[in-house]
Amino acid sequence: PSQFQTSTAAAAETLEELSLGTATWSDDASQPSSSIPLSARIVPPSFATYLARFLLHYDYGASSWWDDQSESYSLLPSYEAKKREGKSFGSYASSIQKGLYSYISGDDESNIRSYSKVRAEYSTLLTSLTDKYGSKPGA
């Protein structure tokens, strides 16, 4: 009951009354304010993994490569094949992340000094993906 009363009292306060600390905004995307590596802040691993799966599903070249990878493990025991496929996918997603970081960051990483430039590069990527795969069912 007392825990409920505390959270009810906190919920009744306005945002201005809550002590949440202080923060400042900076448009400098390269500033080392996190323990997360810069490349993972610009291209999060979750996005690289999503894009890897998307490409394996919708891109003919990526799909063919994956089929060849999977087939090369077909004579292995099931658990070993799954283990190797997992490692292959992890390497593939990592290479997507590294390649996308190079694409987004630009020459000499000049784009990462500004969130607006990073957003613009992601917008260009989205347009390219939409143009290439947008007409495919489910894409």
Side-chain angles (χ1 to χ4, degrees):
S2 63
Q3 184 180 22
F4 178 74
Q5 291 170 345
T6 304
S7 63
T8 304
E13 295 181 40
T14 65
L15 287 177
E16 292 79 12
E17 294 169 333
L18 294 175
S19 177
L20 300 175
T22 60
T24 58
W25 176 257
S26 172
D27 193 44
D28 184 1
S30 65
Q31 129 184 33
S33 61
S34 173
S35 62
I36 299 170
L38 178 61
S39 60
R41 285 185 279 147
I42 300 298
V43 182
S46 58
F47 180 73
T49 300
Y50 173 81
L51 184 57
R53 288 181 177 153
F54 179 90
L55 291 173
L56 289 177
H57 188 76
Y58 293 105
D59 184 81
Y60 176 76
S63 177
S64 296
W65 171 82
W66 184 253
D67 290 344
D68 290 346
Q69 286 289 309
S70 296
E71 191 173 316
S72 72
Y73 306 136
S74 65
L75 298 177
L76 296 173
S78 177
Y79 69 91
E80 184 65 27
K82 291 291 181 194
K83 183 174 147 184
R84 290 194 186 188
E85 282 181 346
K87 283 186 177 185
S88 285
F89 181 78
S91 294
Y92 176 65
S94 180
S95 70
I96 292 284
Q97 183 183 24
K98 289 174 185 168
L100 193 52
Y101 177 77
S102 293
Y103 172 80
I104 297 293
S105 65
D107 295 332
D108 301 325
E109 297 186 333
S110 59
N111 290 339
I112 62 172
R113 294 184 187 93
S114 168
Y115 283 117
S116 60
K117 287 184 179 180
V118 169
R119 280 192 305 269
E121 290 302 319
Y122 269 109
S123 179
T124 300
L125 174 67
L126 177 60
T127 299
S128 296
L129 291 170
T130 302
D131 289 348
K132 186 165 185 176
Y133 306 107
S135 64
K136 295 191 176 195

